[in-house]
Amino acid sequence: MPDYKQFPLADTAEGLTEAEILNWRVQPGDEVQVNQIVVEVETAKAAVELPIPWAGVVTELLAEPGQTVEVGTPILTVDTDPGGSAGPPADTNGATPAKPAEPESAEPEGEEEMKPLVGYGSKTVVAKRRPRTAPQPQTAMNDSLPAKSAGNESFMATEGEYVPLAKPPVRKLAKDLGVDLRTVTGSADGGVITREDVERAANGAAAAPAAAITEPGAREHRVPVKGVRKATAQAMMESAFTAPHVTEFLTIDVTPMMELREKLKRDPAFAGVKLTPLAFAAKAVCLAVRRTPDVNAVWDAEAAEIVYKDYVHLGIAAATPRGLVVPKVRDADRMSLVELAAALDELTGTAREGKTPPGDMVNGTFTITNVGVFGVDTGTPIINPGESAILAVGAIRDMPWVVDGELAVRKVMQLSLSFDHRVVDGQQGSQFLADVGALLADPSVAITY
């Protein structure tokens, strides 16, 4: 007998509630093995690949690419005993196929305990079968159309509501092109709408009279706020309206730092290491925290306490195709300059590829944002929630500078520090910024720390 099991969207141990389906690695009819990757999803933190805990044959995909699904919602059906039947029966309401031996009025099966997924610990995820419902009557308008076509095409969902027939990729194309499928006539068998039908409709809309495109919104497009962008927006709103921000600025001559950088590049210990000004800034922050631990603390409003961290989990703000993410270098204060440089290179590269593990995106204590890579001199960065300070590092430019009473061209950089005034007083914030500036202006100062 066939045994149909539904695979729910797993909680990736981040405390998140939803994720977007990016792409399926399997299709109906494919055989799968235990812990085989079946889908890639995007959470508010990163892209994550999910393995399945059973072996069997995929019978149905319950979510489309681009769809946002809540944690615990079934996204895939698998027959774990495919030898018992040729396949699941059709169901006009999209419900999970019933076992053939069960009567139509049988109650849905109870809860099933899933095996732990690789990489997600021993957490138990409970999957429930979707309730079986009776088919809805079709209207005369749709009497000639099939109740449900192959490939998860749409059908008459409820009485009086016409839903056009189209496969998920065609629906996504229509959404991208701004085509309302209800206005399109399908050219395939049974009135199914094809990609060509959608493209013709889109070209026809593009050829509308000039007066039409002057309407409000005619030359606009909308992008849903979800995933990384949604999480970033929520975090920034929370921070901006919770922590009283203060920002201070400092301009420094970093010519000695740049000279040391060129010297270290020739050192065999740094062979193959990408030594950037960001690495020097990261090392300076870790050293300066020793003298001003307040910038590495956090305000606990519920307990009415300031929590001091005896470690530095250094966040590095990275711009990626998915949006702004802040992966962390764990225990950065215990690393040498060469170790920090190597860790930063690996961390930023992984972030841009969207492959940062979810665990590396949380529990930071201090953040650096390198606006200098965009040619920007300075800014007023917003503190990440759960932290009390963030340092912005600006571009390094050749500028006139007074050295020993003489005007000279030097390598100059601007720093800006935003801090939570509940935790960090002006004197402490100023001392920390001055220390970081001194370490970058003259790296030999580090020997005094």
Side-chain angles (χ1 to χ4, degrees):
M1 298 295 293
D3 184 11
Y4 301 114
K5 294 184 178 180
Q6 289 187 331
F7 175 52
L9 178 63
D11 182 353
T12 56
E14 304 169 75
L16 299 174
T17 60
E18 63 183 21
E20 178 187 351
I21 304 295
L22 289 182
N23 62 79
W24 287 102
R25 302 291 179 83
V26 294
Q27 294 296 323
D30 290 352
E31 293 186 6
V32 292
Q33 303 300 321
V34 174
N35 287 328
Q36 177 179 334
I37 300 299
V38 294
V39 64
E40 183 180 11
V41 302
E42 182 182 26
T43 70
K45 301 293 183 181
V48 180
E49 296 176 329
L50 298 183
I52 194 163
W54 315 297
V57 174
V58 177
T59 60
E60 187 176 10
L61 305 181
L62 305 177
E64 303 176 8
Q67 181 177 344
T68 298
V69 181
E70 293 185 0
V71 168
T73 301
I75 58 176
L76 175 71
T77 302
V78 173
D79 181 0
T80 59
D81 186 17
S85 174
D91 187 315
T92 58
N93 285 277
T96 304
K99 295 185 178 181
E102 294 180 350
E104 185 62 29
S105 60
E107 292 295 325
E109 291 187 9
E111 299 180 351
E112 301 172 350
E113 181 175 316
M114 292 175 55
K115 299 176 182 178
L117 301 182
V118 172
Y120 299 112
S122 60
K123 183 171 181 176
T124 299
V125 179
V126 176
K128 295 184 179 179
R129 296 184 184 274
R130 290 183 293 173
R132 193 179 296 114
T133 57
Q136 296 288 343
Q138 298 183 6
T139 64
M141 175 181 178
N142 204 38
D143 281 344
S144 63
L145 299 181
K148 184 177 183 182
S149 301
N152 281 342
E153 293 146 7
S154 294
F155 54 96
M156 180 61 64
T158 59
E159 185 173 2
E161 178 188 356
Y162 173 70
V163 181
L165 297 170
K167 293 183 178 180
V170 177
R171 292 186 174 280
K172 185 176 186 304
L173 175 63
K175 181 179 178 181
D176 293 341
L177 297 179
V179 175
D180 185 349
L181 288 177
R182 292 172 297 182
T183 66
V184 180
T185 301
S187 60
D189 292 342
V192 176
I193 299 171
T194 66
R195 294 181 62 91
E196 291 73 17
D197 297 331
V198 172
E199 290 170 351
R200 279 195 295 270
N203 292 334
I213 66 172
T214 62
E215 295 296 324
R219 285 182 282 181
E220 302 173 354
H221 69 281
R222 294 172 180 259
V223 178
V225 179
K226 54 188 176 181
V228 174
R229 176 64 61 188
K230 181 178 180 180
T232 300
Q234 291 173 339
M236 293 301 97
M237 287 288 290
E238 176 187 344
S239 176
F241 291 99
T242 301
H245 282 55
V246 174
T247 304
E248 295 185 339
F249 306 88
L250 179 66
T251 303
I252 53 175
D253 173 10
V254 293
T255 304
M257 180 194 79
M258 298 302 287
E259 292 173 346
L260 176 61
R261 178 191 179 209
E262 292 303 315
K263 180 179 179 181
L264 292 178
K265 283 182 178 180
R266 299 188 293 271
D267 190 323
F270 285 83
V273 176
K274 188 176 180 181
L275 187 58
T276 64
L278 178 61
F280 284 92
K283 186 62 177 177
V285 164
C286 292
L287 291 173
V289 162
R290 297 178 186 176
R291 299 192 356 155
T292 314
D294 305 83
V295 300
N296 199 53
V298 66
W299 181 271
D300 187 338
E302 292 186 3
E305 296 174 339
I306 296 176
V307 183
Y308 288 85
K309 310 295 180 69
D310 298 325
Y311 53 88
V312 178
H313 288 346
L314 187 62
I316 304 297
T320 75
R322 301 182 189 277
L324 179 67
V325 297
V326 188
K328 314 296 189 279
V329 177
R330 303 292 176 190
D331 295 311
D333 54 319
R334 298 183 181 181
M335 294 183 177
S336 65
L337 179 61
V338 65
E339 291 172 333
L340 260 178
L344 290 172
D345 188 30
E346 179 181 2
L347 174 144
T348 53
T350 302
R352 292 190 184 98
E353 294 173 0
K355 300 297 182 181
T356 303
D360 287 352
M361 305 285 283
V362 296
N363 300 326
T365 63
F366 188 98
T367 296
I368 298 177
T369 177
N370 184 13
V371 298
V373 296
F374 304 108
V376 175
D377 294 322
T378 190
T380 54
I382 298 178
I383 305 164
N384 279 323
E387 301 176 13
S388 292
I390 179 171
L391 179 74
V393 178
I396 298 175
R397 303 187 185 280
D398 289 336
M399 296 183 67
W401 197 263
V402 177
V403 180
D404 297 329
E406 298 290 335
L407 193 62
V409 176
R410 306 286 284 183
K411 301 289 186 183
V412 175
M413 168 194 286
Q414 293 190 50
L415 305 174
S416 59
L417 177 73
S418 292
F419 53 88
D420 184 344
H421 217 325
R422 297 174 300 178
V423 180
V424 184
D425 294 335
Q427 183 271 333
Q428 296 162 335
S430 300
Q431 180 63 57
F432 176 81
L433 184 58
D435 285 345
V436 172
L439 288 163
L440 295 179
D442 184 1
S444 65
V445 172
I447 202 170
T448 66
Y449 280 65

